[in-house]
Amino acid sequence: MPLRRLVREALRMRPTRLVVGEVRQAEALDLLIAMNSGLPSMATIHANSAREAVTKLCTLPLLAGPNIAADFVVPTVAASVDLVVHVAIDASGVRRVGEICALPGRTEGNVVELLPLFEDRGDGLQRTTAVMPDSKRFRGLGMERRGRQEARA
């Protein structure tokens, strides 16, 4: 059974959350529609960075058919995805979190805005100077905007 059909069948069961393994093709559209409806969701996608993962998530739904346009997909990704956690393989072959980015929900042209919150610059994951976006969806997830010292506590 194709993954796209499995995602749609899972949605018919009225789940409280949706976790999809690897998204590679048109099932990204069904996942995106589920996320856009407010269903907490998580998926993996193969990419070389958080930026490339978002770009790929904006491209994969276009495989669902000619009636799906980037003008619909790009703002939907920006509005539906909260965080991107990029896991990279280091020189020794160990998987490590390379960066964590927030999506504040804005686009410019057909590019989704990314806000890097944590980056690995060679000495482990470090907090950037970026401040968590102050929006209803982040507050609803319990991620209130706080100062750097308070966030470390």
Side-chain angles (χ1 to χ4, degrees):
M1 182 180 294
L3 184 56
R4 185 164 189 201
R5 182 164 174 211
L6 288 172
V7 169
R8 281 184 282 162
E9 293 297 329
L11 292 173
R12 287 190 178 107
M13 294 183 219
R14 296 190 207 162
T16 56
R17 69 189 57 85
L18 182 64
V19 179
V20 179
E22 182 185 350
V23 177
R24 288 194 232 176
Q25 297 178 18
E27 66 271 3
L29 176 65
D30 301 298
L31 175 70
L32 192 55
I33 290 169
M35 290 190 301
N36 193 40
S37 69
L39 181 65
S41 304
M42 181 172 62
T44 61
I45 190 166
H46 285 242
N48 292 320
S49 67
R51 163 67 55 206
E52 287 184 27
V54 171
T55 300
K56 196 170 184 179
L57 188 57
C58 290
T59 305
L60 290 175
L62 302 177
L63 298 173
N67 59 336
I68 307 300
D71 292 341
F72 162 75
V73 174
V74 172
T76 305
V77 168
S80 304
V81 177
D82 297 318
L83 292 172
V84 176
V85 179
H86 180 251
V87 178
I89 300 175
D90 68 14
S92 64
V94 176
R95 294 179 191 271
R96 299 192 190 283
V97 175
E99 60 184 323
I100 300 173
C101 296
L103 278 72
R106 296 182 294 265
T107 62
E108 189 169 319
N110 265 351
V111 178
V112 176
E113 182 181 340
L114 278 183
L115 187 61
L117 300 175
F118 294 89
E119 293 177 336
D120 185 353
R121 298 182 188 119
D123 55 346
L125 205 58
Q126 301 292 318
R127 179 82 165 93
T128 65
T129 57
V131 179
M132 180 68 92
D134 188 27
S135 72
K136 275 195 296 187
R137 70 180 179 165
F138 286 103
R139 284 192 305 273
L141 294 169
M143 299 173 357
E144 290 84 16
R145 189 178 201 174
R146 298 181 286 189
R148 287 183 70 124
Q149 294 301 328
E150 194 178 332
R152 288 183 189 165

